[in-house]
Amino acid sequence: MAFTSSAQLLQYSSIRTSFRLRTRTLSSSSQPQTRIRANPRPVIAANLDAKEDIVIVGAGIAGLATAVSLHRLGIRTRVLEQAESLRTGGTSLGLSKNGWKVLDAIGVGNSVRPHFLEIQGVAIRSEDGRLLRSFSLKEEDPSQELRAVERKVLLESLMNELPSDTIAFSSGLSKIERHESGDTMLELEDGSRLSAKIVIACDGIRSPVAKWMGFPEPTYAGHLCFRGLGSYPEGQSFDQKVQYTYGSGVRAGFIPISKTKIYWFIVFNSSSPGPKITDPLILRQQAQELVRSWSPELLNIINHTPDETLIRTPLVDRWLWPATSPPASTGRVVLVGDAWHPMTPNLGQGACCALEDSIVLAKKLAEAIKSKNVSVEEAFREYERERWPRIFPLTIRAHLVGAFLQWDNPVVCSIRNNVIVPKLVRLGPMLQHTNFECEPL
């Protein structure tokens, strides 16, 4: 397939497109402010179709990292985002050394690092406060780098590396169809249509594109998770460690993010996800009730958590069984990150794997476009062949680790807390999944 220069748009057929520019400034009381630049939303004349070479669906971590990776390689993209602005809500995510290697490779790492503390170690306790085991990350793996990162800062940093007209907000996808030419027609929620030669779906766990490609809904793992960001405007004094507590059917943890913020979580067993709860008063009460007899430190952090950061979500995943799961691509449509392989957060690898996906895909796609020795379809198949052997076992491993940590049988929990964790667990081998190499773009 012949492509025009990556800096060019395909000519519109009798189309006049205008852009509404919106400038927003998102601020954080504890972090340096990052100004979000003007973000265009395309307004397309009724019954006329706009055309793009490459469309990325979703302006989350996977979508923006893919756009930045391709931008570094000289490939222009259009990013469609359903929301009116960057979805900077939520709490925090963990980035290990593999995630940082990708951010460094695409030139974003050094703009994100200064905001967040580097974690030095891990401490594991039983629900009565007894220390079961502690580790130094650098002693276990001298090359390790672990930081808890606010989603807001990461997304803003990625977006600021892109041309100002890259992201089209308020552009939710309502329908997708393939043309006989191989192009893909995307119909948006406002009725406008966009024809794309290539579609990269980074639209998250409930991806409409993945559903269109035949993927099943992610499977509930049997656990719900409370999350929040404790805020200490005058400064927090916790050690730069991941603090875990293992109970019976319940586990919790907290991690210093910055000098003024602490990320915390509580995971508990539940036979069903139950109704969605958004009332912060109810969320706070339920979270406190689960750990009321535990460490007063955790209760203190929950009490210092602003309402807007409190969430409760079901943990889900999708196992990509060989020969039975649909391929990661169909024609010139491909899945990236959670849209393809949602996994539980028990290894802290969801965001890291999405970042890995983005740079691997970008390199293969750029090579196909520039050299024309390999078709886009084959580049997507090569991407899947490289990524599947890493993604599939990590998804299963994360699920099994969660099942191990969520044991609720008192006898089994006693064995875990008195034998397995204190005497058998070694952190070094458990960090091998963070090994990943990539060259700067």
Side-chain angles (χ1 to χ4, degrees), residues 88-112:
T88 56
T91 55
S92 173
L93 51 97
L95 288 183
S96 298
K97 65 180 180 181
N98 51 330
W100 289 107
K101 284 185 177 181
V102 175
L103 292 180
D104 287 337
I106 64 177
V108 180
N110 287 336
S111 65
V112 178

PDB file of all heavy atoms in Angstrom, residues 88-112:
ATOM      1  N   THR A  88      -7.986  12.739  33.347  1.00  0.00           N
ATOM      2  CA  THR A  88      -6.902  12.756  34.330  1.00  0.00           C
ATOM      3  C   THR A  88      -7.383  12.355  35.721  1.00  0.00           C
ATOM      4  O   THR A  88      -6.662  12.526  36.693  1.00  0.00           O
ATOM      5  CB  THR A  88      -6.267  14.151  34.403  1.00  0.00           C
ATOM      6  OG1 THR A  88      -7.288  15.118  34.696  1.00  0.00           O
ATOM      7  CG2 THR A  88      -5.618  14.506  33.073  1.00  0.00           C
ATOM      8  N   GLY A  89      -8.602  11.841  35.807  1.00  0.00           N
ATOM      9  CA  GLY A  89      -9.093  11.382  37.101  1.00  0.00           C
ATOM     10  C   GLY A  89      -8.409  10.085  37.506  1.00  0.00           C
ATOM     11  O   GLY A  89      -7.495   9.600  36.860  1.00  0.00           O
ATOM     12  N   GLY A  90      -8.900   9.522  38.608  1.00  0.00           N
ATOM     13  CA  GLY A  90      -8.280   8.290  39.091  1.00  0.00           C
ATOM     14  C   GLY A  90      -7.152   8.585  40.044  1.00  0.00           C
ATOM     15  O   GLY A  90      -6.999   9.701  40.532  1.00  0.00           O
ATOM     16  N   THR A  91      -6.333   7.588  40.284  1.00  0.00           N
ATOM     17  CA  THR A  91      -5.337   7.732  41.333  1.00  0.00           C
ATOM     18  C   THR A  91      -3.913   7.644  40.780  1.00  0.00           C
ATOM     19  O   THR A  91      -3.388   8.605  40.244  1.00  0.00           O
ATOM     20  CB  THR A  91      -5.556   6.652  42.401  1.00  0.00           C
ATOM     21  OG1 THR A  91      -5.556   5.350  41.784  1.00  0.00           O
ATOM     22  CG2 THR A  91      -6.886   6.846  43.113  1.00  0.00           C
ATOM     23  N   SER A  92      -3.318   6.483  40.897  1.00  0.00           N
ATOM     24  CA  SER A  92      -1.909   6.339  40.569  1.00  0.00           C
ATOM     25  C   SER A  92      -1.674   5.000  39.916  1.00  0.00           C
ATOM     26  O   SER A  92      -2.506   4.095  39.972  1.00  0.00           O
ATOM     27  CB  SER A  92      -1.072   6.456  41.853  1.00  0.00           C
ATOM     28  OG  SER A  92       0.279   6.179  41.614  1.00  0.00           O
ATOM     29  N   LEU A  93      -0.527   4.875  39.275  1.00  0.00           N
ATOM     30  CA  LEU A  93      -0.118   3.607  38.691  1.00  0.00           C
ATOM     31  C   LEU A  93       1.370   3.419  38.946  1.00  0.00           C
ATOM     32  O   LEU A  93       2.126   4.391  39.066  1.00  0.00           O
ATOM     33  CB  LEU A  93      -0.424   3.580  37.194  1.00  0.00           C
ATOM     34  CG  LEU A  93       0.077   4.767  36.361  1.00  0.00           C
ATOM     35  CD1 LEU A  93       1.393   4.438  35.685  1.00  0.00           C
ATOM     36  CD2 LEU A  93      -0.961   5.168  35.331  1.00  0.00           C
ATOM     37  N   GLY A  94       1.784   2.166  39.051  1.00  0.00           N
ATOM     38  CA  GLY A  94       3.185   1.875  39.311  1.00  0.00           C
ATOM     39  C   GLY A  94       3.953   1.704  38.009  1.00  0.00           C
ATOM     40  O   GLY A  94       3.494   1.019  37.099  1.00  0.00           O
ATOM     41  N   LEU A  95       5.109   2.338  37.930  1.00  0.00           N
ATOM     42  CA  LEU A  95       5.988   2.162  36.782  1.00  0.00           C
ATOM     43  C   LEU A  95       7.318   1.589  37.256  1.00  0.00           C
ATOM     44  O   LEU A  95       8.041   2.228  38.032  1.00  0.00           O
ATOM     45  CB  LEU A  95       6.228   3.485  36.059  1.00  0.00           C
ATOM     46  CG  LEU A  95       5.074   4.069  35.246  1.00  0.00           C
ATOM     47  CD1 LEU A  95       5.529   5.340  34.537  1.00  0.00           C
ATOM     48  CD2 LEU A  95       4.539   3.058  34.238  1.00  0.00           C
ATOM     49  N   SER A  96       7.610   0.375  36.803  1.00  0.00           N
ATOM     50  CA  SER A  96       8.897  -0.257  37.084  1.00  0.00           C
ATOM     51  C   SER A  96       9.890   0.109  35.983  1.00  0.00           C
ATOM     52  O   SER A  96       9.578   0.891  35.083  1.00  0.00           O
ATOM     53  CB  SER A  96       8.724  -1.775  37.178  1.00  0.00           C
ATOM     54  OG  SER A  96       7.859  -2.111  38.244  1.00  0.00           O
ATOM     55  N   LYS A  97      11.071  -0.489  36.020  1.00  0.00           N
ATOM     56  CA  LYS A  97      12.132  -0.051  35.112  1.00  0.00           C
ATOM     57  C   LYS A  97      11.771  -0.237  33.648  1.00  0.00           C
ATOM     58  O   LYS A  97      12.227   0.530  32.795  1.00  0.00           O
ATOM     59  CB  LYS A  97      13.436  -0.777  35.428  1.00  0.00           C
ATOM     60  CG  LYS A  97      13.424  -2.288  35.184  1.00  0.00           C
ATOM     61  CD  LYS A  97      14.774  -2.890  35.530  1.00  0.00           C
ATOM     62  CE  LYS A  97      14.792  -4.390  35.293  1.00  0.00           C
ATOM     63  NZ  LYS A  97      16.095  -5.003  35.651  1.00  0.00           N
ATOM     64  N   ASN A  98      10.943  -1.245  33.322  1.00  0.00           N
ATOM     65  CA  ASN A  98      10.564  -1.417  31.920  1.00  0.00           C
ATOM     66  C   ASN A  98       9.715  -0.246  31.420  1.00  0.00           C
ATOM     67  O   ASN A  98       9.880   0.219  30.292  1.00  0.00           O
ATOM     68  CB  ASN A  98       9.844  -2.745  31.691  1.00  0.00           C
ATOM     69  CG  ASN A  98       8.697  -3.002  32.634  1.00  0.00           C
ATOM     70  OD1 ASN A  98       8.687  -2.556  33.781  1.00  0.00           O
ATOM     71  ND2 ASN A  98       7.700  -3.740  32.182  1.00  0.00           N
ATOM     72  N   GLY A  99       8.825   0.245  32.266  1.00  0.00           N
ATOM     73  CA  GLY A  99       8.043   1.409  31.883  1.00  0.00           C
ATOM     74  C   GLY A  99       8.906   2.647  31.704  1.00  0.00           C
ATOM     75  O   GLY A  99       8.725   3.423  30.755  1.00  0.00           O
ATOM     76  N   TRP A 100       9.866   2.831  32.608  1.00  0.00           N
ATOM     77  CA  TRP A 100      10.754   3.991  32.506  1.00  0.00           C
ATOM     78  C   TRP A 100      11.662   3.902  31.286  1.00  0.00           C
ATOM     79  O   TRP A 100      11.987   4.928  30.673  1.00  0.00           O
ATOM     80  CB  TRP A 100      11.569   4.142  33.782  1.00  0.00           C
ATOM     81  CG  TRP A 100      10.725   4.584  34.931  1.00  0.00           C
ATOM     82  CD1 TRP A 100      10.324   3.843  36.002  1.00  0.00           C
ATOM     83  CD2 TRP A 100      10.138   5.878  35.096  1.00  0.00           C
ATOM     84  NE1 TRP A 100       9.520   4.588  36.821  1.00  0.00           N
ATOM     85  CE2 TRP A 100       9.397   5.836  36.308  1.00  0.00           C
ATOM     86  CE3 TRP A 100      10.167   7.056  34.361  1.00  0.00           C
ATOM     87  CZ2 TRP A 100       8.692   6.945  36.776  1.00  0.00           C
ATOM     88  CZ3 TRP A 100       9.463   8.159  34.826  1.00  0.00           C
ATOM     89  CH2 TRP A 100       8.738   8.095  36.020  1.00  0.00           C
ATOM     90  N   LYS A 101      12.049   2.699  30.912  1.00  0.00           N
ATOM     91  CA  LYS A 101      12.881   2.562  29.714  1.00  0.00           C
ATOM     92  C   LYS A 101      12.131   3.021  28.477  1.00  0.00           C
ATOM     93  O   LYS A 101      12.709   3.655  27.585  1.00  0.00           O
ATOM     94  CB  LYS A 101      13.358   1.118  29.564  1.00  0.00           C
ATOM     95  CG  LYS A 101      14.473   0.751  30.518  1.00  0.00           C
ATOM     96  CD  LYS A 101      15.014  -0.649  30.258  1.00  0.00           C
ATOM     97  CE  LYS A 101      16.180  -0.957  31.184  1.00  0.00           C
ATOM     98  NZ  LYS A 101      16.750  -2.297  30.961  1.00  0.00           N
ATOM     99  N   VAL A 102      10.836   2.707  28.407  1.00  0.00           N
ATOM    100  CA  VAL A 102      10.044   3.158  27.267  1.00  0.00           C
ATOM    101  C   VAL A 102       9.893   4.674  27.302  1.00  0.00           C
ATOM    102  O   VAL A 102      10.072   5.355  26.277  1.00  0.00           O
ATOM    103  CB  VAL A 102       8.666   2.478  27.242  1.00  0.00           C
ATOM    104  CG1 VAL A 102       7.817   3.059  26.115  1.00  0.00           C
ATOM    105  CG2 VAL A 102       8.811   0.973  27.068  1.00  0.00           C
ATOM    106  N   LEU A 103       9.561   5.235  28.471  1.00  0.00           N
ATOM    107  CA  LEU A 103       9.410   6.684  28.558  1.00  0.00           C
ATOM    108  C   LEU A 103      10.699   7.399  28.195  1.00  0.00           C
ATOM    109  O   LEU A 103      10.686   8.454  27.538  1.00  0.00           O
ATOM    110  CB  LEU A 103       8.951   7.079  29.964  1.00  0.00           C
ATOM    111  CG  LEU A 103       7.537   6.645  30.361  1.00  0.00           C
ATOM    112  CD1 LEU A 103       7.218   7.109  31.780  1.00  0.00           C
ATOM    113  CD2 LEU A 103       6.494   7.195  29.388  1.00  0.00           C
ATOM    114  N   ASP A 104      11.835   6.853  28.612  1.00  0.00           N
ATOM    115  CA  ASP A 104      13.118   7.443  28.233  1.00  0.00           C
ATOM    116  C   ASP A 104      13.348   7.334  26.726  1.00  0.00           C
ATOM    117  O   ASP A 104      13.845   8.261  26.085  1.00  0.00           O
ATOM    118  CB  ASP A 104      14.263   6.758  28.979  1.00  0.00           C
ATOM    119  CG  ASP A 104      14.322   7.140  30.447  1.00  0.00           C
ATOM    120  OD1 ASP A 104      13.804   8.210  30.809  1.00  0.00           O
ATOM    121  OD2 ASP A 104      14.881   6.357  31.239  1.00  0.00           O
ATOM    122  N   ALA A 105      12.969   6.202  26.151  1.00  0.00           N
ATOM    123  CA  ALA A 105      13.189   5.973  24.723  1.00  0.00           C
ATOM    124  C   ALA A 105      12.375   6.934  23.863  1.00  0.00           C
ATOM    125  O   ALA A 105      12.805   7.292  22.755  1.00  0.00           O
ATOM    126  CB  ALA A 105      12.847   4.528  24.355  1.00  0.00           C
ATOM    127  N   ILE A 106      11.213   7.370  24.352  1.00  0.00           N
ATOM    128  CA  ILE A 106      10.391   8.293  23.569  1.00  0.00           C
ATOM    129  C   ILE A 106      10.542   9.735  24.051  1.00  0.00           C
ATOM    130  O   ILE A 106       9.802  10.621  23.620  1.00  0.00           O
ATOM    131  CB  ILE A 106       8.901   7.877  23.589  1.00  0.00           C
ATOM    132  CG1 ILE A 106       8.307   7.939  24.992  1.00  0.00           C
ATOM    133  CG2 ILE A 106       8.741   6.470  23.012  1.00  0.00           C
ATOM    134  CD1 ILE A 106       6.818   7.612  25.040  1.00  0.00           C
ATOM    135  N   GLY A 107      11.503   9.957  24.958  1.00  0.00           N
ATOM    136  CA  GLY A 107      11.847  11.312  25.354  1.00  0.00           C
ATOM    137  C   GLY A 107      10.942  11.955  26.372  1.00  0.00           C
ATOM    138  O   GLY A 107      10.869  13.189  26.452  1.00  0.00           O
ATOM    139  N   VAL A 108      10.277  11.169  27.200  1.00  0.00           N
ATOM    140  CA  VAL A 108       9.324  11.704  28.169  1.00  0.00           C
ATOM    141  C   VAL A 108       9.768  11.462  29.614  1.00  0.00           C
ATOM    142  O   VAL A 108       9.335  12.164  30.528  1.00  0.00           O
ATOM    143  CB  VAL A 108       7.916  11.102  27.939  1.00  0.00           C
ATOM    144  CG1 VAL A 108       6.901  11.634  28.936  1.00  0.00           C
ATOM    145  CG2 VAL A 108       7.437  11.398  26.523  1.00  0.00           C
ATOM    146  N   GLY A 109      10.634  10.501  29.833  1.00  0.00           N
ATOM    147  CA  GLY A 109      10.990  10.091  31.183  1.00  0.00           C
ATOM    148  C   GLY A 109      11.441  11.229  32.077  1.00  0.00           C
ATOM    149  O   GLY A 109      10.988  11.359  33.226  1.00  0.00           O
ATOM    150  N   ASN A 110      12.321  12.075  31.584  1.00  0.00           N
ATOM    151  CA  ASN A 110      12.890  13.124  32.435  1.00  0.00           C
ATOM    152  C   ASN A 110      11.911  14.246  32.747  1.00  0.00           C
ATOM    153  O   ASN A 110      12.161  15.042  33.660  1.00  0.00           O
ATOM    154  CB  ASN A 110      14.151  13.691  31.781  1.00  0.00           C
ATOM    155  CG  ASN A 110      15.315  12.723  31.866  1.00  0.00           C
ATOM    156  OD1 ASN A 110      15.359  11.856  32.745  1.00  0.00           O
ATOM    157  ND2 ASN A 110      16.264  12.842  30.949  1.00  0.00           N
ATOM    158  N   SER A 111      10.808  14.328  32.014  1.00  0.00           N
ATOM    159  CA  SER A 111       9.786  15.320  32.361  1.00  0.00           C
ATOM    160  C   SER A 111       8.807  14.787  33.393  1.00  0.00           C
ATOM    161  O   SER A 111       8.071  15.556  34.012  1.00  0.00           O
ATOM    162  CB  SER A 111       9.032  15.763  31.102  1.00  0.00           C
ATOM    163  OG  SER A 111       8.293  14.692  30.549  1.00  0.00           O
ATOM    164  N   VAL A 112       8.804  13.473  33.605  1.00  0.00           N
ATOM    165  CA  VAL A 112       7.890  12.854  34.563  1.00  0.00           C
ATOM    166  C   VAL A 112       8.588  12.577  35.892  1.00  0.00           C
ATOM    167  O   VAL A 112       8.012  12.789  36.962  1.00  0.00           O
ATOM    168  CB  VAL A 112       7.317  11.542  33.984  1.00  0.00           C
ATOM    169  CG1 VAL A 112       6.397  10.860  34.997  1.00  0.00           C
ATOM    170  CG2 VAL A 112       6.555  11.810  32.688  1.00  0.00           C
TER     171      VAL A 112
END
